[in-house]
Amino acid sequence: MSLQRIVRVSLEHPTSAVCVAGVETLVDIYGSVPEGTETFEVYGTPGVDIYISPSVERSRERADTGRWHFDEGLEIIVVMNSPSNDINDSHVQISYHSSHEPRPLAYAVLYLTCVDISLDCDLNCEGRQDGNFVDKRQWVWGPSGHGAILLVNCDRDDLSCDVRDNSDQHVRCLEDLEDMSVMVLRTQGPAALFDDHKLVLHTSSSDAERARVFHLCGPEDSCKAYRCVLGQDKVSYEVRRFHGDEERFFVEGLCFPDAGFPGLLSFHVTLLDDSNEDFSQSPIFTDTVVFRVAPWIMTPSTQPPLEVYVCRVGNNTCFVEAVAELAQKAGCKLTICPQAENRNDRWIQDEMELGYVEAPHKTFPVVFDSPRNGELQDFPYKRILGPDFGYVTREPRDRSVSGLDSFGNLEVSPPVVANGKEYPLGRILIGGNLPGSSGRRVTQVVRNFLHAQKVQPPLELFVDWLAVGHVDEFLSFVPAPDGKGFRMLLASPSTCFKLFQEKRKWGHGRALLFEGVIGDRRVKTISINQVLSNDNLISFNKFVQSCIDWNREVLKRELGLAERDIIDIPQLFKPEKKKAVAFFPDLVNLLVLGKHLGIPKPFGPIINGRCCLEEKVRSLLEPLGPSSLGPHTRPGGTGPVSRPSPPPSGLLVPLVGWEGVAGLV
């Protein structure tokens, strides 16, 4: 893993050198050559392999095959593969010859001490530590790739502490070590060698800002034994050999990949010769390992959930009870955020999104706190951050936050294949504007963060035609037993008009929408006939349909979808300051709990005692086999659902993942 070292020999006195097992050392014989030298011979003690490399055109040969003509193009290469037992216990002898003299003109002797040094870590996502398995300096993406993985240690294992675990230079509890990656420095060779040689662990100043390294300096069952040796203001550390041939280090990530940081971190160990007091230390060998910081990963709503979050506010008791009933059927834990904490901000899905991070040794969920910062802004940090539950956020320094930065505008597709490329973890969907437009977009810091994770390449959709501007206002995903394993639901004004025209044909044109709505959701009733005779509403919904159709084609192309993978859900939109607002309460934005689906109560039209919109949605979704499909009274406020089963295999395959489900928002 290190560049070849050059050692120069002398005729006046023996030369000593330290070599590293398996690493080539070049022996320079040209600096001190007897006059008249025509040929030379090279021999080594057992365990020393010597090769002659005549030129770049010819392959190297073993040196003990005979006498070699003295040619300045020759290179002598020495390799030892086993560490020495004692200092200078091996040697190489070079004899210089002339055709005019029967005896050698002179001898040069090189004494060798071999030490084996290796900086190792998990390289192949299977828990093996093998320094010879792959090049530790390289990191390769893909299911057959390799490279060490580092977690951002952004949870809080010690509940008595107010900050995340990666916010200080201490190991406050032993559980904290489980979130770190192990790095092992192995050394074999004479102990006396380290009397005048030393090992230095080091990294760059930029990498030291993004990771921290702890050295186990005492009993492993004591938190005080783990000393911070690299990180932020510490870029190098002279390794003290507390445990002889094997020193253990624990590495934690401090920040996720982002703009200007692709996620790669390098650590090096260098063997330095400190034997000459009159000169500065000289490097002998450097070994390097590269870590990639594990990305933050979203999981789709089609994965089976374990936990649902919902806000209780003053007027949504029926809604919370309905969600609780559905969660019980789905076998999910229900966590209710009380009014005292949410301060009447029910839109918990807009406040946060749940994802996870994964390494071979550990997976844990991480909540992504949006820059929306409503009355719920403290909930993710104060109530969700904890043992094995991390936290991350991105806040712009300017005032660029808009409604698009709420996380109802952040979704992820199930695994897909598009344009010949696999996306085993799906693709992130965010709402923005048309290419080249100056309209609203998700704030730059959030977009930078999502793009930097790489494993779920974001796809920006056109949402600026919406008043709120969230992708979950017109699309969602539900599980399916066939095809790709899911269906994408799209809001469809044309499907809604077609349904109403059918109902009017059968004599139900006077059926009313919003009949019986109570409380702060009271709106003016309107009949099917009035909807179908409102030219302005029809014209506006044609515009909305064109916007949805534009997204439809983008989604088909970028997610590899066909028409059979899409279900059109009846929905109308009304204008509000030249933007669109859903006419009905988010029929497309289902509460998806595995095979259990919940739809918002659409409030009519009621025909023969049944809501025709609900009946239509049922007829479209029941062929997919949902276990439970029923209306849930508005207003909504469900939030992310956590701990789904793992997605298909691929790079960074999670053992346990966490998902964010579309809330009824």
Side-chain angles (χ1 to χ4, degrees):
M1 291 254 180
S2 193
L3 296 176
Q4 289 177 326
R5 184 182 181 217
I6 300 176
V7 177
R8 293 172 173 83
V9 296
S10 172
L11 301 178
E12 286 75 23
H13 53 77
T15 303
S16 296
V18 174
C19 64
V20 176
V23 178
E24 296 180 351
T25 299
L26 297 183
V27 181
D28 182 0
I29 64 173
Y30 303 108
S32 181
V33 181
E35 186 177 351
T37 296
E38 298 175 2
T39 59
F40 67 91
E41 292 179 309
V42 183
Y43 293 98
T45 53
V48 181
D49 296 328
I50 308 173
Y51 302 92
I52 302 294
S53 180
S55 66
V56 294
E57 289 81 13
R58 295 173 55 190
S59 60
R60 64 180 61 176
E61 301 177 40
R62 294 192 66 89
D64 55 8
T65 57
R67 189 171 294 184
W68 298 85
H69 287 282
F70 191 83
D71 181 350
E72 291 193 5
L74 294 177
E75 289 185 340
I76 299 177
I77 301 171
V78 174
V79 181
M80 295 184 68
N81 293 308
S82 299
S84 299
N85 294 317
D86 298 297
I87 300 291
N88 295 336
D89 64 355
S90 300
H91 72 268
V92 173
Q93 178 176 287
I94 304 166
S95 57
Y96 300 86
H97 299 270
S98 169
S99 59
H100 305 294
E101 299 289 340
R103 299 177 63 84
L105 300 177
Y107 294 94
V109 178
L110 172 63
Y111 286 102
L112 295 172
T113 304
C114 182
V115 61
D116 192 359
I117 299 174
S118 180
L119 190 61
D120 294 330
C121 51
D122 286 348
L123 298 173
N124 47 46
C125 303
E126 294 180 3
R128 293 199 299 269
Q129 291 182 333
D130 185 353
N132 299 317
F133 182 66
V134 291
D135 186 348
K136 296 179 288 187
R137 298 169 297 179
Q138 302 296 321
W139 211 99
V140 180
W141 285 104
S144 59
H146 66 264
I149 299 174
L150 184 65
L151 296 176
V152 177
N153 191 13
C154 57
D155 66 342
R156 183 171 57 194
D157 289 313
D158 183 359
L159 292 178
S160 65
C161 184
D162 294 331
V163 297
R164 285 169 282 177
D165 291 340
N166 60 357
S167 296
D168 59 31
Q169 300 184 7
H170 303 282
V171 174
R172 298 190 178 276
C173 62
L174 295 179
E175 289 78 9
D176 191 20
L177 298 171
E178 298 175 4
D179 303 332
M180 303 185 193
S181 294
V182 178
M183 186 167 63
V184 181
L185 173 59
R186 295 183 173 91
T187 56
Q188 288 183 285
L193 175 73
F194 296 99
D195 293 340
D196 51 17
H197 291 75
K198 63 183 181 182
L199 291 163
V200 175
L201 187 69
H202 55 103
T203 188
S204 67
S205 57
S206 60
D207 286 358
E209 292 290 331
R210 294 161 175 154
R212 189 177 290 119
V213 179
F214 296 89
H215 184 197
L216 175 58
C217 301
E220 62 182 14
D221 58 352
S222 171
C223 293
K224 296 181 180 180
Y226 299 88
R227 190 173 75 183
C228 178
V229 296
L230 292 182
Q232 296 176 319
D233 58 334
K234 303 174 182 178
V235 297
S236 65
Y237 165 64
E238 181 179 342
V239 179
R240 297 180 61 185
R241 301 174 76 235
F242 292 98
H243 301 91
D245 294 346
E246 185 172 296
E247 297 298 320
R248 298 179 70 199
F249 299 87
F250 293 80
V251 189
E252 66 176 0
L254 303 183
C255 58
F256 283 94
D258 213 325
F261 174 44
L264 294 176
L265 298 166
S266 298
F267 297 96
H268 321 272
V269 65
T270 296
L271 177 65
L272 295 175
D273 184 350
D274 195 28
S275 59
N276 194 323
E277 296 181 357
D278 298 326
F279 301 99
S280 61
Q281 303 161 354
S282 60
I284 295 174
F285 168 78
T286 297
D287 199 10
T288 298
V289 296
V290 174
F291 285 90
R292 179 174 288 280
V293 176
W296 180 80
I297 304 174
M298 288 180 65
T299 47
S301 58
T302 51
Q303 294 295 317
L306 291 185
E307 187 170 2
V308 181
Y309 295 86
V310 63
C311 287
R312 185 189 299 279
V313 294
N315 62 349
N316 73 340
T317 301
C318 293
F319 169 78
V320 173
E321 291 176 352
V323 172
E325 181 181 352
L326 193 65
Q328 183 179 21
K329 291 180 180 179
C332 303
K333 176 185 176 182
L334 179 67
T335 296
I336 298 175
C337 176
Q339 190 170 6
E341 293 185 26
N342 63 56
R343 293 174 289 187
N344 287 321
D345 182 357
R346 71 189 71 204
W347 309 117
I348 193 169
Q349 161 127 12
D350 284 341
E351 185 61 44
M352 65 187 193
E353 187 68 60
L354 289 175
Y356 65 95
V357 292
E358 178 209 12
H361 65 282
K362 184 69 177 288
T363 299
F364 63 83
V366 176
V367 59
F368 186 11
D369 190 0
S370 81
R372 164 184 179 262
N373 291 342
E375 296 299 322
L376 273 165
Q377 63 177 316
D378 296 332
F379 181 76
Y381 192 89
K382 291 185 176 180
R383 285 292 303 273
I384 295 183
L385 171 64
D388 289 340
F389 211 132
Y391 173 93
V392 65
T393 189
R394 286 295 180 271
E395 298 277 354
R397 295 182 180 179
D398 55 21
R399 297 182 179 181
S400 60
V401 174
S402 71
L404 271 63
D405 295 305
S406 296
F407 283 169
N409 196 31
L410 177 61
E411 300 293 331
V412 65
S413 78
V416 293
V417 178
N419 304 311
K421 185 174 181 180
E422 292 188 26
Y423 300 94
L425 299 174
R427 294 192 67 176
I428 286 176
L429 309 177
I430 57 175
N433 215 308
L434 294 173
S437 172
S438 59
R440 295 176 297 170
R441 297 187 72 190
V442 172
T443 189
Q444 188 70 53
V445 293
V446 172
R447 282 186 282 131
N448 288 344
F449 175 82
L450 296 175
H451 281 278
Q453 309 313 307
K454 289 187 179 294
V455 293
Q456 298 171 303
L459 175 60
E460 191 165 355
L461 301 176
F462 175 35
V463 302
D464 199 36
W465 51 276
L466 286 159
V468 176
H470 294 175
V471 292
D472 69 1
E473 293 180 79
F474 69 93
L475 74 82
S476 65
F477 298 92
V478 296
D482 56 2
K484 291 180 171 61
F486 69 88
R487 296 289 190 275
M488 181 175 71
L489 310 187
L490 282 182
S492 174
S494 61
T495 299
C496 192
F497 279 121
K498 183 178 179 180
L499 173 65
F500 284 2
Q501 287 165 355
E502 177 185 290
K503 298 304 178 184
R504 182 175 65 177
K505 180 181 177 181
W506 288 96
H508 302 297
R510 295 182 179 180
L512 298 176
L513 284 72
F514 308 115
E515 186 176 19
V517 178
I518 60 174
D520 62 359
R521 297 294 298 175
R522 180 178 295 279
V523 294
K524 184 179 180 180
T525 58
I526 183 173
S527 68
I528 289 178
N529 285 337
Q530 289 174 309
V531 169
L532 297 178
S533 62
N534 189 326
D535 292 338
N536 289 334
L537 185 64
I538 293 172
S539 177
F540 184 76
N541 275 274
K542 286 182 179 179
F543 158 73
V544 169
Q545 186 67 62
S546 70
C547 296
I548 294 174
D549 288 344
W550 192 92
N551 286 302
R552 185 191 203 96
E553 294 307 310
V554 172
L555 289 159
K556 286 169 64 177
R557 180 180 68 249
E558 298 297 331
L559 300 184
L561 304 181
E563 283 297 325
R564 62 179 175 273
D565 302 315
I566 302 172
I567 296 177
D568 290 309
I569 300 296
Q571 178 64 282
L572 292 182
F573 293 82
K574 56 186 177 181
E576 186 175 289
K577 297 181 181 179
K578 298 184 179 181
K579 302 288 185 178
V581 175
F583 205 76
F584 310 113
D586 302 330
L587 278 177
V588 74
N589 191 7
L590 305 182
L591 175 58
V592 184
L593 305 182
K595 294 183 178 181
H596 300 262
L597 309 179
I599 63 173
K601 182 179 179 181
F603 303 125
I606 304 298
I607 298 173
N608 297 326
R610 306 292 293 271
C611 172
C612 69
L613 281 172
E614 180 188 335
E615 290 295 291
K616 180 63 176 180
V617 173
R618 284 181 177 274
S619 68
L620 292 170
L621 298 184
E622 283 182 341
L624 303 181
S627 301
S628 177
L629 182 64
H632 291 292
T633 306
R634 287 281 290 186
T638 55
V641 177
S642 52
R643 288 191 188 269
S645 59
S649 61
L651 181 65
L652 303 173
V653 180
L655 302 176
V656 180
W658 292 68
E659 93 185 84
V661 170
L664 306 185
V665 296

